[in-house]
Amino acid sequence: MLKKLNSYDDLITMKKSSDKKRKQDKVKVSICMTGCRALGAEEVYAEFSKQIKKQKLQNKVEVVETGCQGLCARAPVMTIDPPDAPSIFYGRVTVDIVPDVISDTILKGEVIKKLCYAEAGKKIPYLEDIPFYSKQNKIVLRNCGIIDPNSIEQYIENKGYDAFAKALFELDPEKIISVITSAGLRGRGGAGFPTGLKWGFCRKAQGDTKYLICNADEGDPGAFMDRAILEGDPHAVIEGMLIAARAIGSEKGFVYVRAEYPIAVNHLRNAISQARKLNLLGNNILGSGFNFDLEIKMGAGAFVCGEETALIASIEGKRGMPRPRPPFPANSGLWNMPTNINNVETLANVPIIIAEGATWYKQLGTKNGAGTKIFALAGKVKNTGLVEVPMGTTLREIVFDIGGGVPGRHGFKAAQMGGPSGGCVPEEHLDLPIDYESVKDVGAIMGSGGLIVMDNETSMVDISKYFMEFVQEESCGKCVPCRVGTKKMLDKLIKITKGEGTRGDVEDLKEMAHVTQTASLCGLGQTAPNPVLSTIRYFMNEYEALIK
Ligand SMILES: Cc1cc2nc3c(=O)[nH]c(=O)nc-3n(C[C@H](O)[C@H](O)[C@H](O)COP(=O)(O)O)c2cc1C
Ligand code: SF4
Ligand code: FES
C-alpha cells in the first residue's frame, strides 16, 4: 500500500525504509520485459517465477521485470547480480535453459557459456567487460534495465524524486531555469534548441494558465529511444516534468504518445497513478502548496503530429496539421495559452542536472553539446540496440567499438542519422566527434537519435527513395511545395531506381529539393529533401550508374 507523502522528510523516510528492505543477500535476476517480449521474454519470466517457487528459493532470489537493457540484438536478455559479485549478462535465453540457469549460475555461481556475449570467438560473461556496455556512459538510462519500471519504490530507492524535492523546496523557478541554462541542455527532439531558454520564454509569457507537453510521438523510422525511456523508467520523465512545471509555472501537463506504444502507455499510466497516490502529483504536492497533474493523450501515429503546432492541434481534438509560427507555443499554444513542449529524453535529463549540478553536467560532452545522447543503433551492425554516449563520441566508436562493427563480408558504407530530416554520413567522416553542429556540417543531423548503419551492399539511391516514400506518405498536404515537391521527387527517384533515369534528373532533383526546403510551411517539408541531397553529395556515382 502506497502512503501519502506530506513533506520532504516523508520522502526521505520512505527512501531509507525501502533501502533497508532491499538490503538483503538475494541474487537479483533482471529480465527485460519490454521489446524482448517479441522473442519470448514473458515465457522466460514465467518459467523463472515458477521454478523459484517450486524450488522454494524466494528468500534467495529476486526476479525483476525491467525495461530495455540495451543489447536488444541478444533478446531475450537478462542480467544476474549475485550479492557482492559482478553482473553476469545472458542473451538468447530460452525457457528450457531456465532450470540450468538456476542450478548452475544462481546456486553455484557457474557461467553458462552458450548464453554469454561473444567477441572474436571469446565468451565474455561479465557485463562490465562487454565493450557494448563498458564504452557507454549511462546517465539518462541509468535506471533503465536496472529497476522495475512499475515500482515507484525502486525509483525512489535510486534517488528518484530527490531532484524534484530539491527543485521544490530549495530552488526558486528562476534558479531552476538558470541551472538548466548553464548546464547547456539542448532539446533532444531534433532541433537542439536550448531548454533553459525555452522554459524562460514560457515563464515570462502572459497568462494564468500554462501548459507543459511531453512530446512522445517519436515518428522517425528506426528510432525507439523515447519509447525505451517511457517503458523502462517512466518516473524519470514524470520527475523531469514536475521540475519543468515548477520552472515555467504550470499546473497541467500532457504526455502525447502514439497508440502504437502500448507498453510505454501502460507503464506511464501506472507510474502516474503511483505518483498520485504518494502525493507527488495532484494538489499540494509534498505539502508544499505546489499543484501539478498529468494526462496521457494518445496519438494515431502520424509523423507530422510530432511537429509542435500539429501536436497541439491534435491534443485540442482537431486534425494534426501544422500552422505558421509566430505565434510560438510559448506565447500561444494549447487552447491559446502559453505552452512549453519538450521531448521525452530532454525531460529525462532534467532530474540528473538538478541533482548533480550544471558544472558536472557540462563536463560531459562538447562545447556546443553538453551531456549525453541516446542512439537507437539499427541496420547492418552486430549489436543493434540502445546506446548512450557523451556528445563528442565518434561514429566509429559507436558503430565499431560499441556496435561491434558490420557483420558479414561487406564493410561499412554509411550511417543514416536523423531519420527523414537527416542524411548519410560516409566512411570518410567516421572519426567525426558527434554533436549538433559537427553532424550538420557533414550533411546529416543529430535528430532524435535514429542511427541506421548501412553496408557496401546497400544502394544509396534506394535509401533516399525509401525516406522520400515515407515523407511523401506522411505529408499532411496543407501546403503545395511539400505536397507536390515530395511527390515529384519520389517519382523521379522511382524512375531512376527502375533504370529509366535520363540526363538532368539529378539536377532536377536538386532544384525540387531547393524549392521544397525553402517554401514549405513546416519542418517536415523543409527537411524532407535532406536524405536525397546527402546521398547525391556523397554517392553521386550511384545515381550516375543508374542513369543512361
Ligand atoms: C515533422 C516533425 C516531426 C517531429 N517529430 C518529433 C517527435 O516525434 N518527437 C519530438 O520530441 N520532437 C519531434 N519534432 C520536434 C518537435 O516539433 C519539437 O521541436 C520538440 O518536441 C521540442 O522538444 P525539445 O526542445 O525538447 O527537443 C518533430 C518536428 C517535425 C517538424
Ligand atoms: S510542410 Fe508538409 S507536412 Fe508541413 S504543413 Fe506543409 S504539407 Fe503539411
Ligand atoms: S528490448 Fe530487451 S534489451 Fe532492448
Side-chain angles (χ1 to χ4, degrees), residues 396 412-413 425-432 537-539:
R396 189 185 298 281
F412 175 90
K413 186 175 200 174
V425 183
E427 202 183 357
E428 65 199 80
H429 293 307
L430 268 175
D431 291 310
L432 185 80
R537 174 167 166 191
Y538 294 114
F539 302 98

Side-chain angles (χ1 to χ4, degrees), residues 37 65 92 312 357 391 416 437 441 455 482 528:
R37 284 193 206 194
E65 297 182 39
R92 310 236 164 91
I312 287 169
M391 298 271 188
Q416 209 280 346
E437 275 68 31
D441 289 344
D455 69 9
C482 169

